[in-house]
Amino acid sequence: MAKNIKDIADQYAKAIFELASEQNQLDDVLHDLETIQKLITENPSFVTVVTASDLAITDRDQLLKTLTKGAAESIQNLIQLLARNDRLDILSMVIDQFVSHYNEAKGIVDVKATTAVALDDQRLDKLANVFAAKTGAKQVNIENVVDNNILGGVILQSQSILIDGSLQTKIAKMKAQLLG
């Protein structure tokens, strides 16, 4: 049975996460991977060039060494392993999965706060504190998304939690109660 690409990326991410954890290098590895992710994002053709079938292996290896210059040895080995297994195309997914594991281990939660109007930083901080208190998160990274369809209130949503305090939902609940 063929594996899902996301599952394959997660296997690599778990392996590098566990290794970094054992070596007490989680923060360093995170920094290295975020730097690589930024380079890949800024140069979208990089992976295409490095994975091209007509590129000589020595040229590919040199490009990969340039990409990982100054990175932890485990990151250099990860990139080489992905290249040997023809999996460089999932590098970005591996990094995303690593960040998810890192955030989970550190109690960091990314939250989307959907409101009818844009909120200032002070209000966003208050919402982050409320979310942290309700969920036990150690750190909440909050992003404000404006959606005037919710009429008022706020919807806080993380990967696994939804707190819907929108006026639109409250009206819908009252309507359902009235209709019986």
Side-chain angles (χ1 to χ4, degrees):
M1 181 188 214
K3 288 190 175 185
N4 179 328
I5 296 290
K6 187 175 180 185
D7 291 340
I8 294 169
D10 192 48
Q11 286 179 333
Y12 283 102
K14 280 181 185 175
I16 195 69
F17 178 83
E18 289 173 10
L19 179 62
S21 188
E22 289 171 9
Q23 296 175 344
N24 290 324
Q25 293 183 332
L26 275 176
D27 293 333
D28 293 337
V29 168
L30 175 69
H31 179 266
D32 291 345
L33 288 174
E34 287 177 334
T35 301
I36 290 170
Q37 185 79 300
K38 183 179 177 189
L39 290 169
I40 292 171
T41 303
E42 290 173 355
N43 302 290
S45 62
F46 179 81
V47 173
T48 305
V49 169
V50 173
T51 58
S53 59
D54 60 344
L55 182 66
I57 293 175
T58 55
D59 292 337
R60 181 192 70 191
D61 289 345
Q62 189 58 44
L63 286 170
L64 295 177
K65 282 181 184 177
T66 302
L67 177 68
T68 60
K69 185 177 182 179
E73 184 179 350
S74 58
I75 299 300
Q76 294 174 12
N77 292 340
L78 170 69
I79 302 295
Q80 290 173 0
L81 182 62
L82 287 169
R84 275 197 306 272
N85 293 335
D86 292 324
R87 295 283 188 195
L88 279 172
D89 57 328
I90 66 167
L91 175 58
S92 191
M93 289 172 60
V94 171
I95 295 170
D96 289 342
Q97 292 292 336
F98 178 89
V99 171
S100 292
H101 291 296
Y102 178 91
N103 286 349
E104 184 177 337
K106 297 287 186 172
I108 300 169
V109 179
D110 292 327
V111 175
K112 182 171 65 170
T114 305
T115 57
V117 296
L119 300 179
D120 60 27
D121 289 340
Q122 184 179 3
R123 287 189 178 147
L124 286 173
D125 287 343
K126 284 182 183 178
L127 285 173
N129 290 335
V130 167
F131 191 88
K134 285 187 180 264
T135 63
K138 294 178 184 170
Q139 178 183 334
V140 176
N141 299 328
I142 195 161
E143 173 192 6
N144 189 199
V145 176
V146 177
D147 179 359
N148 57 8
N149 291 325
I150 70 166
L151 305 175
V154 64
I155 300 171
L156 297 176
Q157 185 173 6
S158 71
Q159 192 170 17
S160 60
I161 297 172
L162 174 68
I163 301 172
D164 190 342
S166 68
L167 190 55
Q168 179 183 22
T169 299
K170 289 177 183 178
I171 290 171
K173 284 180 183 178
M174 284 193 313
K175 181 179 176 183
Q177 287 175 344
L178 288 172
L179 294 174

